[in-house]
């Protein structure tokens, strides 16, 4: 008796964001048995994150209803993929226990996470990611009356500001590191994507400043003020919270664990490599959405639909969507160009600024290291609870080091799950 349940499906979709939902719905008419796994409590991914502080938009409802309308789609929310159990079999964990899920085809729609970069004061309570602030507000964290400064780069800053303001916060400043010229060029290019232009208008904010970047955050026990550099001058702004976002990093861990190849997507970032059918380098495994490079929910939706059609052999339907994908790939390319991080962002950390906050490793301790392995072995960078998920991305940006290779389990896991896995016949790797 192992305590691990077993299950199987024709098509397993990991991630119930826009890409995963579109993939499952596209594949459903084939009649294949489809399982969609997501660690969030409800489908929607990052953009349509649910919670007591979230008002779900109609698009999110439409996709949830579409999932529910197909009897051959089973959605397992609150469930994480934690490891590979055997060839073509993944190990899942939820509140009730563990499951070995066998699949015939797999679509990875694992999205992206924020790139957090170190600067003096970034570990003070009250500093979060910009998307992190959104997630906290949607989960019900009260911010009414709080003075918030948002800094970093990209449209996510504006989306985070809108979420915070809708919850009653006073957003004092949105500091965008890109230049006015770059942002203006991006704004003008939106004529090619009218929906995006309309969205940009709704997000426009009087506190938005370009060529503006964070210098440091100050406070005794929590955030009291932030120092910004703008137009060559430093200015202090008293505030209660600072939210920072320097772009997104594709979540490639599960794909890498399964042997899928990576490819560069600009700005030193790597993503899962896919062909025209969204197939990865591993037979039977597809990938869609921001794990293949970030570019917005519309691109994730069309990529997901192509992957769903291709996975069940409907090549015609997949091909019919290629021109729409090209259109959104062009939008993604504009986004990358406009909000590319300036070299000044690499100079934010001071000698004593912590880069690895789990193991208290300062910037100065890493300067002489020859690469990630050297930093890990000799300075303990990435050896703490997050296992390099935060400092690995930061070190890649700051020093150009290859990020740490993922190791199972992908996230903290119950001992019973691991013990049960070793107990079962023919586990792929008993050391997991
Ligand atoms: C923090 C954050 C906030 C964002 N907010 C906005 C916004 O407000 N507006 C906007 O236009 N864009 C936003 N974006 C960009 C947005 O992510 C995309 O445009 C869109 O959601 C991408 O869709 P996706 O399906 O590729 O990935 P996602 O929406 O990220 O969905 C991926 C899903 O996979 C799940 N997952 C990943 N790994 C596992 C695993 N091992 N086991 C189980 N589940 C797993 C994740 O929990 C997630 O629900 C945000 C991005 C981030 C990182």
């Amino acid at each position: 008796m192992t305590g691990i349940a077993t299950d199987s499906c024709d098509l397993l979709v990991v991630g119930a964001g826009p890409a995963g939902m579109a993939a499952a719905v596209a594949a459903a008419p084939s009649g294949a048995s489809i399982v969609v796994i997501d660690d969030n409590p409800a489908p929607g991914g990052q953009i349509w994150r649910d919670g007591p502080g979230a008002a779900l938009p109609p698009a999110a409802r439409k996709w949830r209803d579409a999932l529910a309308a197909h009897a051959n789609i089973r959605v397992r929310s609150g469930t994480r993929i934690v490891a590979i159990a055997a060839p073509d079999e993944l190990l899942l964990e939820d509140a009730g226990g563990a499951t070995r899920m066998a699949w015939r085809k797999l679509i990875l729609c694992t999205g992206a996470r924020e790139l957090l970069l170190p600067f003096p004061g970034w570990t003070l309570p009250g500093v979060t990611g910009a998307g992190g602030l959104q997630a906290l507000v949607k989960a019900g964290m009260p911010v009414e009356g709080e003075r918030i400064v948002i800094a970093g780069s990209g449209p996510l800053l504006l989306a985070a500001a809108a979420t915070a303001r809708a919850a009653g916060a006073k957003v004092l400043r949105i500091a965008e590191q890109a230049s006015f010229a770059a942002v203006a060029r991006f704004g003008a290019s939106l004529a090619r994507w009218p929906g995006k232009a309309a969205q940009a208008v709704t997000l426009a904010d009087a506190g938005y400043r370009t060529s503006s970047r964070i210098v440091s955050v100050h406070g005794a026990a929590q955030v009291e003020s932030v120092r910004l550099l703008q137009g060559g001058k430093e200015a202090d702004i008293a505030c209660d919270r600072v939210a920072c976002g320097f772009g997104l990093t594709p979540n490639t861990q599960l794909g890498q664990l399964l042997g899928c190849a990576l490819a560069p997507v600009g700005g030193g970032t790597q993503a899962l490599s896919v062909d025209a059918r969204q197939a990865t380098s591993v037979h039977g495994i597809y990938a869609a959405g921001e794990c293949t490079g970030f570019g917005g929910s519309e691109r994730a939706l069309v990529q997901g639909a192509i992957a769903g059609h291709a996975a069940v052999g409907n090549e015609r339907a997949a091909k019919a969507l290629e021109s729409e994908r090209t259109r959104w790939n062009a939008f993604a390319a504009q986004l990358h160009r406009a909000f590319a991080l300036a070299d000044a962002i690499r100079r934010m950390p001071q000698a004593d600024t912590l880069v690895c906050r789990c193991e208290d490793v300062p910037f100065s301790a890493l300067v002489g290291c020859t690469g990630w392995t050297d930093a890990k072995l000799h300075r303990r960078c990435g050896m703490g609870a997050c296992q390099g998920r935060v400092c690995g991305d930061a070190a890649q940006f700051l020093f150009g080091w290859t990020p740490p290779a993922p190791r199972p389990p992908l996230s903290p896991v119950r001992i019973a799950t691991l013990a049960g896995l070793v107990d079962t016949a023919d586990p792929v790797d008993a050391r997991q």
Side-chain angles (χ1 to χ4, degrees):
M1 178 66 192
T2 67
I4 292 193
T6 55
D7 198 350
S8 66
C9 59
D10 295 323
L11 174 62
L12 179 62
V13 180
V14 184
M21 293 198 280
V25 170
S30 68
S33 67
I34 301 169
V35 172
V36 182
I37 301 288
D38 197 291
D39 51 3
N40 282 330
Q46 296 291 1
I47 181 168
W48 297 319
R49 183 180 281 275
D50 211 344
L56 220 51
R61 295 222 165 275
K62 183 193 109 182
W63 282 103
R64 274 195 198 173
D65 291 348
L67 283 181
H70 293 283
N72 56 331
I73 299 180
R74 279 186 288 150
V75 178
R76 289 190 55 168
S77 295
T79 306
R80 286 174 304 173
I81 307 281
V82 292
I84 299 171
D88 303 343
E89 210 175 300
L90 289 172
L91 181 65
L92 328 181
E93 198 183 73
D94 64 15
T99 305
R100 295 176 66 127
M101 174 70 72
W103 49 269
R104 291 156 69 89
K105 294 280 173 66
L106 177 64
I107 306 182
L108 302 174
C109 301
T110 48
R113 59 185 184 277
E114 284 188 284
L115 175 63
L116 296 176
L117 294 174
F119 51 80
W122 77 296
T123 53
L124 264 180
V127 180
T128 64
L133 172 66
Q134 271 192 316
L136 288 167
V137 171
K138 289 179 179 179
M141 182 183 78
V143 290
E144 189 160 0
E146 274 193 5
R147 299 162 303 166
I148 300 183
V149 170
I150 299 178
S153 199
L156 184 54
L157 304 186
L158 289 166
T163 304
R165 194 171 291 111
K170 293 178 199 142
V171 179
L172 304 180
R173 179 63 48 87
I174 303 170
E176 165 60 62
Q177 59 87 43
S179 68
F180 176 77
V183 175
R185 266 196 305 275
F186 179 70
S189 77
L190 291 183
R192 289 170 64 195
W193 302 278
K196 287 287 172 193
Q199 196 184 359
V201 170
T202 64
L203 294 175
D205 195 296
Y208 190 75
R209 299 285 184 279
T210 52
S211 295
S212 180
R213 74 166 174 86
I214 204 155
V215 175
S216 49
V217 173
H218 303 267
Q222 63 178 64
V223 172
E224 291 170 18
S225 69
V226 59
R227 184 164 300 162
L228 298 175
L229 179 67
Q230 198 181 298
K233 285 195 190 132
E234 289 191 358
D236 289 335
I237 300 179
C239 59
D240 307 303
R241 191 175 289 281
V242 174
C244 290
F246 294 93
L248 302 178
T249 300
N251 269 333
T252 58
Q253 276 83 3
L254 178 56
Q256 284 180 269
L257 211 56
L258 289 159
C260 301
L262 299 179
V265 285
T269 312
Q270 300 235 306
L272 294 177
S273 169
V274 286
D275 67 12
R277 300 160 62 249
Q278 299 294 137
T280 68
S281 62
V282 177
H283 183 71
I285 304 183
Y286 300 75
E290 301 208 318
C291 57
T292 70
F294 62 90
S297 58
E298 295 84 354
R299 179 174 173 273
L301 283 168
V302 69
Q303 282 193 335
I306 292 174
H309 288 308
V312 295
N314 191 349
E315 302 291 340
R316 232 169 94 157
K319 199 143 188 60
L321 292 170
E322 283 183 0
S323 61
E324 196 186 338
R325 182 181 54 196
T326 304
R327 192 166 112 77
W328 289 111
N329 279 345
F331 172 75
Q334 288 280 4
L335 203 64
H336 288 253
R337 256 194 302 278
F339 297 102
L341 294 180
D343 263 357
I345 299 295
R346 283 195 179 79
R347 297 194 290 274
M348 289 194 306
Q350 300 287 306
D352 60 351
T353 304
L354 295 183
V355 175
C356 172
R357 59 188 178 180
C358 299
E359 292 289 320
D360 288 352
V361 184
F363 181 76
S364 58
L366 299 175
V367 169
C369 292
T370 54
W372 177 257
T373 306
D374 185 19
K376 192 168 176 180
L377 292 179
H378 297 113
R379 302 286 186 260
R380 291 197 59 77
C381 189
M383 294 287 274
C386 93
Q387 285 289 293
R389 278 178 185 80
V390 175
C391 60
D393 293 337
Q396 185 183 10
F397 176 75
L398 293 171
F399 304 108
W401 296 340
T402 306
R407 293 196 315 184
L410 287 171
S411 54
V413 63
R414 289 190 203 97
I415 289 289
T417 299
L418 295 181
L421 185 65
V422 174
D423 237 11
T424 52
D426 193 28
V428 116
D429 182 356
R431 291 164 300 163
Q432 291 183 6

